[in-house]
Amino acid sequence: MAQTRRKRKRRHRGTQAGTIERAGRTSKPPEQSPKRTKGSTKVEGRGLAQQRREQRLSREPTWRGALNRAAFAAIILVIFISVVQKNIAQGVVMGVFALVIYVPLSYYTDLALYRRRQRRNQAAGR
């Protein structure tokens, strides 16, 4: 009688614990992704990321950025108070109050950090 099922070519070796040890990859490794060129390395990628970070941190803070950050925090506060206290009006009032406090606080904190970073860069001789 002819065999209906094809036989396995490689054996899967199981352990007593039930885990299966399989052979490693037997095919060719995939081609390099098109993003990375042959000469680039992870170190160069880190350098690029470091440059971008330096550029982002060397920009002077703006009121618009402070307003966006404060608005996000105030919205989270409104949602939290509305859910916990079950009083939407109280949440909105607290959110507006927080927005008034957070905007200048955020701006002047960013400004102080920016000035400190600039002084440190000047002292380092950049």
Side-chain angles (χ1 to χ4, degrees):
M1 184 176 225
Q3 187 174 0
T4 57
R5 235 176 62 167
R6 226 173 76 201
K7 283 188 109 174
R8 218 173 27 216
K9 293 197 178 176
R10 269 187 290 146
R11 229 175 115 189
H12 296 246
R13 303 178 75 87
T15 63
Q16 288 183 343
T19 59
I20 298 174
E21 296 171 2
R22 297 187 62 207
R25 178 174 51 188
T26 57
S27 64
K28 289 193 303 188
E31 293 291 322
Q32 281 189 338
S33 65
K35 290 182 197 173
R36 183 180 282 183
T37 60
K38 277 190 174 182
S40 72
T41 62
K42 285 186 179 182
V43 174
E44 290 173 2
R46 280 191 210 119
L48 183 62
Q50 183 73 21
Q51 285 176 348
R52 286 183 183 161
R53 183 173 188 271
E54 287 293 328
Q55 288 174 352
R56 180 172 41 90
L57 291 176
S58 64
R59 284 192 303 235
E60 195 168 352
T62 62
W63 283 101
R64 183 182 179 118
L67 179 68
N68 289 341
R69 194 175 308 112
F72 180 75
I75 289 171
I76 297 296
L77 183 69
V78 167
I79 292 171
F80 179 74
I81 289 177
S82 297
V83 169
V84 171
Q85 297 289 329
K86 297 180 182 157
N87 188 348
I88 296 173
Q90 183 181 8
V92 171
V93 169
M94 288 295 290
V96 170
F97 180 71
L99 190 65
V100 169
I101 298 295
Y102 288 168
V103 171
L105 183 71
S106 176
Y107 177 76
Y108 287 114
T109 301
D110 285 347
L111 189 62
L113 292 173
Y114 169 77
R115 287 177 177 164
R116 187 174 109 196
R117 206 174 299 114
Q118 293 302 316
R119 278 195 308 269
R120 189 179 61 213
N121 287 344
Q122 289 293 329
R126 287 190 173 185

